[in-house]
Amino acid sequence: MTAELVRGQNHPLSQARLEIRVSAGAPIVAGAALGDEQGRIHGVEWVAHPGAPTLPGLEVSRQAAADHRLAVDLDAMPEAVHRVSVLLALPTGVGGPTRFGAVPTPFVAVTGLDGDEVASYTITGLEAESAVVALELYRRQGAWKVRAIGQGYAGGLAELFTDQGLPQAHQLAGSINEAVAQGVARSIPAPPPRTDGDRSRQAPAPARGPDQGGTAPQGDPVPPQPTSPYGTQSPGIPGGPDPQPSYQGGSGATDPSQPSSPTSGGPIDYSHPRRQNAAPPPPPPTAPPAQPGQPAQPVAGDATGWSMEERLYNQVWGMFEDLARTTAAYRSAVDFADSRMEKELDQVLSDPRSRIGGQGDAAREAAQAKHTQLVNQARAALDRDLAQLTAESDVVEPALPPAYARWDNPVWHGYRVPMEIPMALRLGELHLPESDRLRIPMLIRLPLERGLWIDSGRAGSLDGSFTDSHDLRRLAMETAVANAARLLAVYPAGEFTVHVIDPAGSGAQALAPLVQTGVLAAPPAMGAAGVADVLARLTQRVDLVQMALRAGAPDSLPPGFDTSQQLLIVNDFPHGFDDRAVTQLRYLADEGPAVGVHLMMVADREEASGYGPLLDPLWRALLRLTPVPDDHLADPWVGHAWTYEPSLVPPGSQVLHQVLTQVAAARAKHW
């Protein structure tokens, strides 16, 4: 039976190997500190955090997230360690909440490896605090216990570590914030928070009511304000069922820490735990009810929303979350099977009588057989979920509008310049190793909230197919052109303008579709003078718009001022850039998105290494994409490393030229 703790209460621990699960409604940093009998931390090496996630007997998450799992092995703790304090903090410098009073109440649970809760604690009463000691595991007379602490600190991690007696408190807090900021650069932006109810997907089964929405990513019919790339997905209500990955189907569910056998009967339930908010009208019944014992037939637009576009957007993000969570459940089940087998083998080897001979061999075979059984059960449950998601993807992909579709989708052959801005834009595809065939569209909300960095500096892809730097640079520019063409195609005529800086002219071949169709604001700028001119004009534009907005007089802009969104493509950085140009580029990356000026950098970070840490904020401000498959992006729920593949035009296809020709004709009529 779970012990629901209140502040100051303790509870004995009967197991040495534990998981500490943290659930919050916004991304937080989770760490742990080791202390002596007085609770003092002896040094920075006694703290596990995203920058140094592993210590003897302890492992924490490597990035900020709404849900965390910390692994603890009390038997592996050094003799000098008598306390393990679980620390939570809000990320700093990423545009998110700065006090716990502005986020849902954090919930912490201590569980065994089998997923059964031992003790839980809901941390209430936090307001101005930005860091908190949630609970501690402590050793008393050779036995371990857990105590609910809930001690908050308005001064953040620096004040917390100072109170714990750590001399290097401020330096450690800074290094943790730096590690978290680096994690931001690889996180896929989650949809912004809802202000009008929950619009998540619903299962097509007719028995499900219209109020069963969810925390799956959602859309909004109006352009969002810039938000943190972490998003604000809410995992649910503390104290309820486990908010970790749960992909339900039939009469059973896939628990993240305990494998389950595949079940049959009934449709897959796409809802996630504790989706209770009101939602807009559900999608119309476009598919017949599922027959008993048969899975529901997937349909495109099977999500709530005010338009088909929003339904498809929510459906794609729901598929993304479902795949992340069901994969997390599978991985957790495999980890549990591995830990169980390891424990059973340790017990066999600890008895000298069973180390050799038939008894030992039989015990090893039994442990291996149980391990195989658990893994097979987990894989069967995963395969069941993947089959349903794959069937859904096969239906959804052909139904996507141009902004969400691949370049080889027939929808582009009927392309017309739109009259309004879509909710989102497709930048590529994402997949996981366990489900290589299932590709999820990577949709980013519009208008862009971060610039893009097409990395031309990696020497190879995951499969080792690209090693030539010249080919990689060419592919990087082709990726940039394809994404720029998408942006031009999905905006109404005259509402999106593209500028290009190509100092040495090395990108001329890749830029040909943009140049030949006449969709650029001006020919690509070349040489140091061209670089300086374009950067000066865009910097001045940002200054003018900012001054007008701060003065509360947006109508005071000069006559004839171009109010369209601006995109600057920069090739071969830092060639042709002096110190002033670099400073202007950083300024545009930081201040530009809020006033409609966006960057798309095609660059090799190593070539700019001469600037040292000066450019680190620039790279972190941009969403890194690659011209070849690379597993560098993370989802905002579980933190899996997803393989990204760019959305490129098929070889020999004329679709890009046809689309840009229509865009150019519409621009000519507009002006």
Side-chain angles (χ1 to χ4, degrees), residues 268-323:
I268 296 293
D269 177 4
Y270 286 108
S271 64
H272 291 292
R274 287 169 246 126
R275 294 186 172 181
Q276 300 175 354
N277 294 340
T286 56
Q291 297 298 321
Q294 298 295 325
Q297 295 299 315
V299 293
D302 182 26
T304 55
W306 301 107
S307 65
M308 188 61 175
E309 179 193 356
E310 183 177 8
R311 290 171 183 166
L312 287 168
Y313 174 81
N314 289 341
Q315 188 173 15
V316 168
W317 267 90
M319 292 165 57
F320 185 20
E321 182 179 10
D322 285 343
L323 181 55

Side-chain angles (χ1 to χ4, degrees), residues 477 502-510 526 571-572:
M477 272 306 295
D502 188 19
S506 60
Q509 181 178 354
M526 300 178 64
N571 185 35
D572 264 357

Side-chain angles (χ1 to χ4, degrees), residues 188-555:
I188 301 171
R194 305 301 310 175
T195 59
D196 53 354
D198 194 353
R199 300 188 182 182
S200 59
R201 315 189 311 154
Q202 297 182 344
R208 300 197 65 81
D211 61 337
Q212 290 177 305
T215 58
Q218 305 136 343
D220 200 313
V222 296
Q225 295 298 319
T227 61
S228 165
Y230 293 103
T232 56
Q233 304 301 321
S234 175
I237 302 171
D242 180 42
Q244 292 293 328
S246 177
Y247 190 82
Q248 303 173 0
S251 60
T254 303
D255 187 88
S257 61
Q258 196 168 16
S260 63
S261 59
T263 59
S264 62
I268 296 293
D269 177 4
Y270 286 108
S271 64
H272 291 292
R274 287 169 246 126
R275 294 186 172 181
Q276 300 175 354
N277 294 340
T286 56
Q291 297 298 321
Q294 298 295 325
Q297 295 299 315
V299 293
D302 182 26
T304 55
W306 301 107
S307 65
M308 188 61 175
E309 179 193 356
E310 183 177 8
R311 290 171 183 166
L312 287 168
Y313 174 81
N314 289 341
Q315 188 173 15
V316 168
W317 267 90
M319 292 165 57
F320 185 20
E321 182 179 10
D322 285 343
L323 181 55
R325 293 185 181 277
T326 194
T327 303
Y330 168 73
R331 293 180 179 179
S332 181
V334 172
D335 288 343
F336 168 71
D338 292 341
S339 299
R340 176 173 179 153
M341 183 177 69
E342 181 182 349
K343 183 177 182 180
E344 291 176 349
L345 292 177
D346 286 345
Q347 292 175 348
V348 172
L349 295 176
S350 64
D351 187 352
R353 295 171 298 178
S354 60
R355 290 178 187 173
I356 58 176
Q359 183 180 356
D361 293 340
R364 294 185 187 92
E365 291 176 1
Q368 182 62 53
K370 185 61 176 178
H371 175 272
T372 302
Q373 178 188 3
L374 292 175
V375 172
N376 289 342
Q377 288 178 348
R379 185 69 213 193
L382 175 66
D383 289 342
R384 177 203 63 202
D385 294 346
L386 292 181
Q388 183 70 9
L389 283 171
T390 300
E392 186 175 12
S393 176
D394 291 341
V395 172
V396 169
E397 191 70 52
L400 295 177
Y404 303 171
R406 292 193 298 251
W407 283 110
D408 59 0
N409 192 312
V411 71
W412 284 106
H413 295 294
Y415 168 79
R416 295 292 182 270
V417 177
M419 300 298 292
E420 58 183 21
I421 302 172
M423 293 178 58
L425 183 79
R426 183 176 188 147
L427 292 181
E429 299 176 347
L430 300 165
H431 64 90
L432 292 170
E434 291 86 351
S435 52
D436 183 69
R437 179 173 167 270
L438 179 58
R439 306 301 172 96
I440 304 295
M442 177 178 168
L443 302 182
I444 300 296
R445 286 295 297 263
L446 292 179
L448 294 174
E449 299 170 5
R450 298 172 65 184
L452 304 176
W453 164 31
I454 316 298
D455 189 356
S456 62
R458 295 294 290 267
S461 64
L462 290 176
D463 58 6
S465 57
F466 286 95
T467 56
D468 183 80
S469 60
H470 177 75
D471 286 344
L472 206 58
R473 292 174 186 272
R474 174 182 55 80
L475 280 174
M477 272 306 295
E478 290 178 358
T479 302
V481 169
N483 287 330
R486 275 183 176 275
L487 286 163
L488 284 165
V490 302
Y491 271 81
E495 293 192 20
F496 199 84
T497 304
V498 177
H499 311 265
V500 176
I501 289 178
D502 188 19
S506 60
Q509 181 178 354
L511 291 167
L514 300 178
V515 175
Q516 293 172 2
T517 54
V519 294
L520 295 179
M526 300 178 64
V531 171
D533 177 63
V534 173
L535 291 178
R537 285 189 285 111
L538 290 178
T539 301
Q540 183 183 36
R541 175 191 176 85
V542 172
D543 290 339
L544 286 173
V545 176
Q546 282 186 337
M547 286 189 292
L549 293 176
R550 289 169 182 167
D555 296 334

